[in-house]
Amino acid sequence: MRNFDQSLPMLLYRALNALMPEFRAIFRQFGLTERQWRVLRVLWEEDGKPLLALAERTLIPAPSLIGVVDRLRKGGLVERRRSATDRRVVQVWLTDGGRALQAEVTPLVDRAYAAFDGFMDPEEWRALTAMMDKIASRANGAGDPLAHKVGDEK
Amino acid sequence: MRNFDQSLPMLLYRALNALMPEFRAIFRQFGLTERQWRVLRVLWEEDGKPLLALAERTLIPAPSLIGVVDRLRKGGLVERRRSATDRRVVQVWLTDGGRALQAEVTPLVDRAYAAFDGFMDPEEWRALTAMMDKIASRANGAGDPLAHKVGDEK
DNA sequence: GTCTAATTATTAAGATATTAACAAAAAAAC
DNA sequence: GTTTTTTTGTTAATATCTTAATAATTAGAC
């Protein structure tokens, strides 16, 4: 039986556990959850994204995303619209309120991130990014947020 | 606004998303969820652990652990007992069935881990471990699974 | 053009995360 | 020894994850 605490999953989980509460505290000031912020974060960069694209980019599983978007909608931050060209597609658009939030949240988040810049030197960051990418692109295509795809071999 | 996809949290989340489905598929063969396995994994190494110690070691938040342990108990894999010396403490003990499961699950899990050994060379693993530990031990003590502790400054 | 397969979104069910609040027991202070 | 504080476990409420199954469209094959 291998070492549990030093296994790759536990290493990653522990790092995230140390990392995220600080950011969540920021989101909470604006009544946002971490996932809600992630959706907004992507829309601020590219508004009107289809749900599936949003799921991939935010790493939020599609079935969960439905609820996240709906709560954002109830909060008046986004709207849902069917695509005119492909009626299967649901696009998520920011409202004025959702757009306005960017200017408030972003500075705080950026400042929190900045605290990490000096934490490791550029070479370490490069190595870390490369290793994470390597791990993420390994695995037989599993791990994308489209859970219902995995194991579709019939 | 910084790069979202290359942010530390997203790097870690993506790696985990690629990593875990493979392991979960193994656990599922035995009717176990990932968290249930983590609890068993720790008990196989040290039986009779108190709930709080179990929460820290498995990185499962204490309120969630209650449910995880209870489902394991209903499945006949563990038992709960009050400590005789400190009646606040609830210890979790393996049943015979829970103990027997180790011999079945461990080989499969070890084999899956082994597939990663050759994936990065020893020096990369060392560097990765060091960086994750560094991140985990950074942050003001936040991130431990005892959520109600965070921000207890009154 | 019609039938079939693939894509996009959604619902459902059980398990877990996150935060806050609370009860019981033990430890520390007085 | 009683009061206060800390520790350990638990419940509650809301949000999300994970997996499987299903509806609505669209794309492809015939």
Side-chain angles (χ1 to χ4, degrees), chain A residues 24 28 51-52 63 66 80 88-90 149:
Chain A
R24 293 203 194 100
R28 202 176 340 145
L51 274 176
L52 228 88
I66 303 275
R80 300 169 38 124
R88 289 172 300 182
V89 173
V90 170
K149 293 271 185 178

Side-chain angles (χ1 to χ4, degrees), chain A residues 59 136 139-146 150, chain B residues 13-14 16-21:
Chain A
L59 301 182
N140 44 15
D144 73 324
L146 289 54
V150 178
Chain B
Y13 282 132
R14 244 192 328 273
L16 278 169
N17 271 358
L19 200 53
M20 298 319 293

Side-chain angles (χ1 to χ4, degrees), chain B residues 3 14 21 26 32 56 59 62 74-75 77 79 108 122 125:
Chain B
N3 183 320
R14 244 192 328 273
I26 296 174
L32 296 174
E56 285 174 9
L59 302 182
K74 285 179 184 162
L77 299 175
E79 283 175 7
L108 297 186
W125 281 113

Side-chain angles (χ1 to χ4, degrees), chain B residues 36-147:
Chain B
Q36 290 174 355
W37 175 81
R38 274 198 242 163
V39 169
L40 293 178
R41 177 64 182 76
V42 168
L43 294 180
W44 288 332
E45 207 167 276
E46 187 181 351
D47 202 2
K49 274 225 164 201
L51 273 176
L52 229 86
L54 213 44
E56 285 174 9
R57 191 81 195 291
T58 58
L59 302 182
I60 298 171
S64 302
L65 185 59
I66 304 274
V68 176
V69 167
D70 202 50
R71 282 178 285 270
L72 281 172
R73 188 184 56 70
K74 285 179 184 162
L77 299 175
V78 305
E79 283 175 7
R80 300 170 38 122
R81 288 188 221 146
R82 286 274 163 191
S83 161
T85 61
D86 184 340
R87 295 202 305 184
R88 288 172 300 185
V89 172
V90 170
Q91 298 171 314
V92 184
W93 297 87
L94 291 164
T95 63
D96 290 340
R99 227 179 328 270
L101 207 52
Q102 177 179 9
E104 301 188 60
V105 183
T106 302
L108 297 186
V109 174
D110 281 357
R111 193 193 311 164
Y113 274 140
F116 278 96
D117 283 343
F119 188 61
M120 294 196 287
D121 56 64
E123 182 45 47
E124 282 182 303
W125 281 113
R126 229 185 325 274
L128 178 57
T129 303
M131 283 189 277
M132 290 300 104
D133 284 346
K134 192 173 175 183
I135 293 167
S137 62
R138 175 198 165 275
N140 45 13
D144 74 324
L146 288 54

Side-chain angles (χ1 to χ4, degrees), chain A residues 8-76:
Chain A
L8 182 53
M10 292 307 280
L11 287 174
L12 299 178
Y13 282 132
R14 245 193 326 275
L16 277 169
N17 271 357
L19 200 53
M20 298 319 294
E22 181 174 347
F23 289 100
R24 293 203 194 100
I26 297 174
F27 305 146
R28 202 176 340 145
Q29 297 176 42
F30 301 92
L32 297 174
T33 67
E34 183 191 338
R35 275 72 175 190
Q36 289 172 356
W37 175 81
R38 273 198 245 162
V39 169
L40 293 179
R41 176 64 181 74
V42 168
L43 293 180
W44 288 332
E45 207 168 276
E46 186 181 350
D47 201 3
K49 274 225 166 203
L51 274 176
L52 228 88
L54 211 46
E56 285 174 10
R57 189 84 195 289
T58 57
L59 301 182
I60 298 172
S64 303
L65 186 57
I66 303 275
V68 176
V69 166
D70 202 50
R71 282 179 284 271
L72 282 172
R73 188 185 55 72
K74 283 178 185 161

